[in-house]
Amino acid sequence: MTVDGTDENNLERGIYTKDAACLRKNDRHRRSLSDLSLSRKCGVWASHFQRLFVSFIGADWIYLMILGFIMAVFSFAMDIFVDLFTEAHRWIYDLADSHVILQYLAWVAYSMFLMCFAAGFANIVSIQAAGSGIPETKTSLRGVMLQEYFTFKTLVSKFISLTCVLGSELPVGKEGPFVHVGSVCAALLSKFMSHFSSIYKNKARNEEMLTVGCAVGIGCCFAAPIGGALFSLEVTSMFFVARNYWRGFLSATFGAFIFRLLPVWNRQEDTLMALYATKYRLDFPFDLQELPIFAAMGIVCGFGGAFFVYLYGKISLFVKKQKATNSFLMKNCFLYSALVSVLISTLTFPLGFGQFMAGRLTQRDSLISFFDNRTWSNNGIVADFDNDDHLAAWKHPQANVFIILSVFVIMKFWMSALSITLPIPCGSFVPIFVIGAGFGRLIGEGLATLFPDGFNIDGHTYNIVPGAYAVIGAAALTAGVTHTISTGVIMMELTGQISYTLPILISVILANMVSQSLQPSIYDTVIRIKKLPYLPTLSWGHREKYNIYVEDFMKREVCYITLNSTYRDIIKILRSGNLKTLPLVKSAESMLLLGSVERAQLLALLTQRLQHLQEENASTMPVRYKVHFETSAKESASAHLESTKPLKSALKPSVDEEEITSVYDSGLNLKKFFCSRPDIEAMEDDPDAGDDTILQEIEEWEEQQLDEQMNFNSCKIDPAPFQLVEHTSLHKTHTMFSVLNLDYAYVTSIGRLVGVVSLKELRKAIEGCMPADGVRLRPVLSNFRDRGARGTRTETIELHQLLDHQIN
Amino acid sequence: MTVDGTDENNLERGIYTKDAACLRKNDRHRRSLSDLSLSRKCGVWASHFQRLFVSFIGADWIYLMILGFIMAVFSFAMDIFVDLFTEAHRWIYDLADSHVILQYLAWVAYSMFLMCFAAGFANIVSIQAAGSGIPETKTSLRGVMLQEYFTFKTLVSKFISLTCVLGSELPVGKEGPFVHVGSVCAALLSKFMSHFSSIYKNKARNEEMLTVGCAVGIGCCFAAPIGGALFSLEVTSMFFVARNYWRGFLSATFGAFIFRLLPVWNRQEDTLMALYATKYRLDFPFDLQELPIFAAMGIVCGFGGAFFVYLYGKISLFVKKQKATNSFLMKNCFLYSALVSVLISTLTFPLGFGQFMAGRLTQRDSLISFFDNRTWSNNGIVADFDNDDHLAAWKHPQANVFIILSVFVIMKFWMSALSITLPIPCGSFVPIFVIGAGFGRLIGEGLATLFPDGFNIDGHTYNIVPGAYAVIGAAALTAGVTHTISTGVIMMELTGQISYTLPILISVILANMVSQSLQPSIYDTVIRIKKLPYLPTLSWGHREKYNIYVEDFMKREVCYITLNSTYRDIIKILRSGNLKTLPLVKSAESMLLLGSVERAQLLALLTQRLQHLQEENASTMPVRYKVHFETSAKESASAHLESTKPLKSALKPSVDEEEITSVYDSGLNLKKFFCSRPDIEAMEDDPDAGDDTILQEIEEWEEQQLDEQMNFNSCKIDPAPFQLVEHTSLHKTHTMFSVLNLDYAYVTSIGRLVGVVSLKELRKAIEGCMPADGVRLRPVLSNFRDRGARGTRTETIELHQLLDHQIN
């Protein structure tokens, strides 16, 4: 046997440690059998290899590299398709150069057609593909899994629609959607891999992998693995597990590597380079005197970012209102997209207004020209770069470069805000990036004109580099809109130069400080507008978070079931709301929390009861009743089987809505059966059954059954629902909810259930201590507190306070 | 009045929102008083400004910027002092050039003197300054606050000793100690600021600030804010709160900015640049064919890193053993340091063996020469760089550059491993960095010799850049030793070039994969050797973590107190162990957990009881007894006052040990008083007291008092000690312990206390499922489980299981 103990030892110590114990056992077994026949040996070998394969497939890095590879291919393929689309656009446009109106029609119709197709496709295949997907991913990673956002259909819909949208040259980006695509791929890959290794069935692990998916998405989009890993973290997570840190990096690095390798194989490039590689001088990147200007740019970009978010919010709400009132717009989802597309492509028409805003450049071309390290303005006149197609777009006989840049920034600003409200896959990152770069270039060119001689240091003359201003402007404006710091890192990776680290970081941080104090981030705004179940962050030093306690914001009216609950009670509770889990207490008097019961469990218990009644109480039942009962019990049983699926997924709207309705209905079959008795009419039609005594008998029997105590003996309960006490601080509660991805937690006092805190209550409490619309809201009770004393208070109470609510 | 409502509104909406409500109230108040006299107006103004000052001081960014500034000044000052020391070293060395032996003595004695001073100073002022401090910071951030590591004495000791150690040119670095210095500064600054704003009294907030301190430490050390923030996070935290993310960045950025600004002001540099700015070509950084070499370097560095950690561990344990047996070495703590210093400086003596390992270069000089973008080797002979002092050191008439580089790498490897075992402040980051760079340069030079023509792409010829290999080697080896990915980012910021992102990341990740599977990181090794209370991470896909439950590893014998506990019980429990908190249950039969009581509370209750006895039972006590009693009660009361300090700090060894002993003794006074009665002897000396009846009476009364039930009514209890249930998985438990910084958690079953899990148990459980020394240990019980079934198991149980342990 060639695989000896040493080899296995190495395997065990290495990363292949998955099934080492099994392998060793297996090995020992093999040794004892070594003198058996060859055929049996082969069988043993096969099983050995199978185990090895399973552990190989189960290794994290295999999964991460596959994910990176897939995303890189996606990103590269999309770039190629988009390039083809834009080339075709230019080709058609050039073909029609005989007449301006023909050219205009070619320019506009092409965009409109692609947009309509994209909107229609997204709408028909999977409407979940619309928007950037970052808010939904964020919500899902926060614990409220939006299952329908992670399906294959959504992936297809997003990929194809996004390609068309980008091809139509609408000012939107692929970064946000790629975060979504990445997490969908991660979810689907987990599902696929679970056929080979059971480790992929673990839910917690798969949720951890979603974060990785986000990192890969950005890593592949910008070839920025570090920035991608950090951005995904800042945007999607509230808490971040250090042990998952390397996963994002590994996957994003491999993804970015493949993404940059493909153009080399494709002979488009010579070697692996940054996406927008710049070549600014390394010996003297910037002068100290420029720092205040960079800082001021950061502040202005902070205001600009906040205004962008504000504008987006206003447009969104306006469109929403219009949609609600205008049934025509609502029904024709892509009419709105087409209108916007026509408007935007009309304005960018290169022979029309487009000539004042470099309309014929794509976003990529604009970025390349902004980052160029040559100075455009020479006393306000663009230098002679006619041989450079990109730079020539910024030259106009009637307008100087400042006017064109200003028009570009202003027009793109509202166009982008408008575009991302469309029901199509679209990201706001890249357009904001382009606007920021344009703004920075404007400032840079201005300074280069004001100080044409640059700086004189130790006899050397260093000119101002307007491209660097574009880099800083892009990073700062994006930071202002997304409220992230990692945009600075993305910027550095994107340009392949890090000599501007400090100016970039300073302006990014200032932009963050300004915009965070004015507006929520673009993603939080979408979450608010779409009313997704989210939890706001506690940021920028809210001292109040330490002085508010659970008792101030918990919900005291808890819907609970007790060990003495009757079937009637249970049905009433199930009907009264749609809580996923219900607390089980010992009795209404003691309120001692035993655990929590899932809704599906209760439905199952009701079904069980039906079966039980059928078996045991057959004799006490009226005969005709029994016949009907058998059918009903069978139906319920099948419904019960369905309900054993994970409840969280079962309770999602759309896809699973039908399923749960049937479960719900079958659960209430009993109620319907017992109380409203639709079969009575059927019986009345039957001549043998039209007997008042029987009906009365049935009614009495039913009432009696309903008043019986529920049998909880075989009920599956979760004995460890998350518990808080009244004196837990808001800060701690927020931490626990964020870290442990809680939806709700029960509030107990010596084991007694006294309240419940759900995401909703927590959200209200947090918003209450944050300034909203300039007015500071505070929880009602916290006003009556002595704040000074609470500042240093520990969370202890005196025992007699606790024992005041004495356990019965 | 010039401050009108609009201004205040802006203040409120901005980051100055701290006391806005108070301000508004105050403002309203002021308006109503506006027609009062000028003097009163001034008073109001003063109070207004006081409030404004408090909110200003309480703002996070003020704190963060002050912290960054302090650390930058520290780092810059240390660099200057170290430069002075090394210049003085060279000066003395050159002064003695008349004779080789004189030169040797000057070279060695200088180093030895500085080392002895450093070791002595650290030992006398604060021994906590020894070592890198990262392991201790990590432990403290994990929840087990090592108070004595965060004092002003430690700071002074660390700063001065470290300066001397670096001045003595021992191959150690300042990075690890700076992480420690950063967190000490953060802790001290919080303490200082708490005089002005009560927000700094919040413990949770101050612990969050420690992480920031670490980030600033590295940010200022390398002028690498992004890498610093990430490195501190990877090394010190297990969990990471996204809302704290910006803090590290802001502080580290400001720190790095000031750190790089100071040399500009000092006219050492022209503008803000990277610390080791490189100027490699931007247009074609590397060829695809070089990638496999980079990857191989990563793997070799992974092995090298693991070997370094192994070597360090072996030397450490050997020294420890020697110390234990050799009392001479133990007593003369700096003899060992002096010996090592002499050994190392002898070997680096530039005229001796040092000429074969560039002995006269400092670490900084070596790094600069390694990162140089010229090729040294020209068919094995160093090119003529005589005018460059640094490069000339690598040229030797008898040995070619490969031999010198190899000797350098090998010698520095063991020297560094040896040096960081010394009881002085020292970091391992920079020496490892230098070794890695040397190794990379060796490979790079080798390739440049093998392929002198470089690559020919599209007619352009690109030579191999050996400096880039040095960059990659440095990043990979450091990653292998520290198990971090952010070393790659630090590397980019340090060199100011990012074009090697992908090669760096690939080699860093590979180095991590190799070394993590072989050895723990250097910091975890120190934690193990120093036996600090730590919690290992669950890393690299341990599937078992999902299949082990609390019931498998919890401690079932819990030390608890009940509502019916007698004074005798309490004294017995207090004497039996030194648990900081004890669980309080309703009764021994019900075991219903009411909360946890701190040890100090119990001591206070005992004291209270003494006072009570004195007041109420005066009549029932023997007269002589009473006199003694009064004194004893007073003593206890004063001890009680002391015990109201935060218990955690009170229970720390060394500084507070004395205090707690006195509290402890006074608590047991009662016991001593009641049971062993040392005063009886005193009474016996007294002729009036030598009466058997009285003694017997006293004894009976004492016994009776001891058997009385403890009065818990005024006892402060924590009603929310952290609770787990038996079915919580190891994975979840680990998450909660890491995130919430728990020391212990009680295990309950429907409110009944059934066990306790402390860091110790958790550590054992985690180590049990990780391969330790090649042998896989698994928890005893988990072997009996069906692993397949548990893989997808949810944490629910059936109610009847739960009710089997029925509540009484």
Side-chain angles (χ1 to χ4, degrees), chain B residues 65-139:
Chain B
M65 286 175 83
I66 295 177
L67 183 63
F69 184 80
I70 293 174
M71 288 301 296
V73 172
F74 275 4
S75 182
F76 183 69
M78 187 176 286
D79 282 358
I80 286 195
F81 288 133
V82 171
D83 277 353
L84 285 179
F85 276 130
T86 47
E87 269 172 37
H89 198 180
R90 298 288 176 287
W91 181 75
I92 292 173
Y93 171 77
D94 288 340
L95 210 67
D97 67 350
S98 53
H99 202 280
V100 166
I101 293 180
L102 215 64
Q103 267 192 312
Y104 170 72
L105 284 179
W107 181 263
V108 172
Y110 185 89
S111 290
M112 200 186 74
F113 170 75
L114 276 176
M115 271 296 293
C116 286
F117 176 77
F121 191 84
N123 199 45
I124 291 162
V125 178
S126 167
I127 191 64
Q128 278 78 27
S132 87
I134 291 185
E136 289 81 8
T137 312
K138 185 173 183 172
T139 310

Side-chain angles (χ1 to χ4, degrees), chain B residues 85 87 103 113 190 214 237 256 269 271 312 416 471 474 532 561 569 588 615 649 677 679 707 717:
Chain B
F85 276 130
E87 269 172 37
Q103 267 192 312
F113 170 75
S190 290
C214 301
S237 321
E269 285 178 30
T271 186
Y312 165 76
S416 301
V471 168
L532 297 171
I561 50 176
D569 297 337
E615 289 159 17
S649 76
R677 298 182 315 283
D679 54 313
D707 282 333
I717 70 163

Side-chain angles (χ1 to χ4, degrees), chain A residues 426-447:
Chain A
C426 56
S428 53
F429 196 97
V430 176
I432 287 298
F433 216 69
V434 176
I435 298 165
F439 169 72
R441 187 87 203 185
L442 182 63
I443 303 286
E445 293 290 342
L447 285 173

Side-chain angles (χ1 to χ4, degrees), chain A residues 19 238 240 242 271 286 543 717, chain B residues 19 238 240 242 271 286 797:
Chain A
D19 274 333
M238 286 202 157
F240 151 67
T271 186
F286 58 96
R543 151 150 83 166
I717 71 163
Chain B
D19 274 332
M238 287 200 156
F240 153 68
T271 186
F286 58 95
I797 58 167

